[in-house]
Structure formats: C-alpha cells, structure tokens
Amino acid sequence: MSQINNPVSYYKSVIRAVGFSPSMLKYREVQFKKFCKKYDLKNKKVLEIGSGTGDYLSILSKIFSNSYGLESSKKNINICKKKGLKVIKGFLTKQNKIITKNKFDAFFIFSYLEHIPNINTFLKAIYNNLVDDGVGIVEVPNFDMILKKKLYSEFIIDHLFYFTKKTLKKTLKKNGFKVLKIDNIWSD
C-alpha cells in the first residue's frame, strides 16, 4: 500500500455511478440480506461510511431497521434526507471522533477507502465507533486483478491507494480489525 498522489478537492464526497445500475442494486440487496442473516443484525445499528446520495443506504434501510449513513457532502445529505434516510454529516479526521452516542454493530464502506488520505486515522475512527464484536464490509478496487491484467487505465487521480489482498488485510489489521474473509466479487 502506498499513496500515489494528493487527494482531489472533492475526496470527502462520494460520487458513485455504478449505484444506478439495476444489476448492482440487486447484487447489493442479496449481499446485505446474507450479511444481516449471517451476523444476526436485523435490529442492530449499522453505518454506511460515505453514503453518497443514498443508493446503497436505501437498500440497507430496508434490511436493517437501524441504518445510518455518514456523509460529508451537504448536497448528498440533502438528497438522502429527501429519500427519508438517516444520515449524519461528518468525516473521520480524528481516530477518537465520536459519530453517535451509541456505537454501531456493523459498518460498510464501498469503493471509498481508496480515496482517503489519512487512512490509518480514518480506520481507527471506524474501529473506535464499533461495539466490541462489530463487523463490516470493506470494498475496494482489486489491485491484484489490475496488475495481472495490466489495466493501467484503472489508475485514476481520485484514488490515493490501491490494495492487493495482502495490503488490504495488513492495513485493516494494523488498525485493530480482524479480517474474517477476503473475496473477489463482481467480476473481480
């Protein structure tokens, strides 16, 4: 893991084109239902970090009875609120940042971690806002596949980090997380 450039000015805001894909939205619904059942999270408090305009948060809110989004962009927050979603304005710049009074049982980060300049502080802040047996899903672009297939067009200015399975695991463990499983999904 290494940072390759400075963050873009809008790095705190989530811009997600794939969220509008019907096949991706269906995939997420199935993924969230399985995760909810596996970890018995139906009535637990969950958080999507970097909720953008609420594409995935809308699905989470149908599956998890107590779901929240954490988002920095005021515009995105307003869109989420118009959809009736619970969203908190904020960004994790300090490891001791308290998001809400009560900790979260689960968290989700989808294609957002690679944009974060102070990644260790960010991850420690997430860890510190979870209950002791909290679980989560962290999804990042597959750098192993990018290297294998020589997809150098996948390097974009927005991404500060690229993760192999090994570096993702190492980064999460360094910040207090126990990595239960790493999978390639969605065509790698």
Side-chain angles (χ1 to χ4, degrees):
M1 177 189 75
S2 63
Q3 186 170 328
I4 61 171
N5 57 304
N6 292 320
V8 293
S9 61
Y10 52 88
Y11 74 91
K12 292 180 182 178
S13 300
V14 172
I15 302 166
R16 184 178 290 139
V18 74
F20 298 107
S21 158
S23 55
M24 176 55 86
L25 295 175
K26 182 63 183 167
Y27 173 81
R28 291 290 182 219
E29 181 180 358
V30 171
Q31 179 188 36
F32 297 163
K33 284 180 180 177
K34 286 180 182 177
F35 190 76
C36 179
K37 185 176 181 178
K38 181 175 183 172
Y39 295 103
D40 192 25
L41 295 167
K42 178 74 175 150
N43 296 310
K44 303 290 183 160
K45 188 176 178 186
V46 304
L47 178 69
E48 181 190 11
I49 300 158
S51 55
T53 59
D55 299 313
Y56 298 156
L57 187 56
S58 294
I59 301 167
L60 287 167
S61 68
K62 292 175 186 169
I63 297 167
F64 302 90
S65 60
N66 199 11
S67 59
Y68 293 82
L70 181 67
E71 177 59 40
S72 178
S73 163
K74 189 173 182 175
K75 179 181 175 185
N76 286 349
I77 290 168
N78 289 334
I79 292 169
C80 286
K81 287 186 176 183
K82 284 180 184 173
K83 293 178 180 179
L85 301 170
K86 294 182 274 187
V87 64
I88 301 162
K89 180 167 179 42
F91 187 79
L92 303 173
T93 56
K94 296 179 181 173
Q95 69 182 25
N96 59 353
K97 165 95 173 156
I98 303 298
I99 299 171
T100 63
K101 181 181 172 183
N102 297 316
K103 292 187 174 194
F104 294 90
D105 298 284
F107 74 98
F108 304 88
I109 305 174
F110 300 106
S111 295
Y112 188 48
L113 188 61
E114 64 275 9
H115 299 261
I116 306 303
N118 298 313
I119 202 163
N120 294 317
T121 300
F122 187 83
L123 286 169
K124 285 177 184 165
I126 295 168
Y127 182 85
N128 290 333
N129 279 278
L130 295 174
V131 297
D132 288 340
D133 59 347
V135 293
I137 294 176
V138 176
E139 201 172 280
V140 295
N142 181 350
F143 193 52
D144 287 312
M145 185 264 306
I146 291 169
L147 290 172
K148 180 180 176 185
K149 295 185 177 184
K150 297 181 170 97
L151 299 174
Y152 302 116
S153 62
E154 290 293 319
F155 289 105
I156 59 173
I157 196 165
D158 297 43
H159 292 183
L160 302 177
F161 296 97
Y162 288 88
F163 299 93
T164 63
K165 283 184 179 183
K166 183 179 178 180
T167 60
L168 179 61
K169 185 175 185 176
K170 183 176 181 177
T171 302
L172 291 168
K173 288 178 105 178
K174 176 181 179 175
N175 290 288
F177 294 95
K178 179 180 177 184
V179 178
L180 303 176
K181 185 177 180 183
I182 296 181
D183 284 329
N184 290 344
I185 60 164
W186 200 252
S187 303
D188 273 347

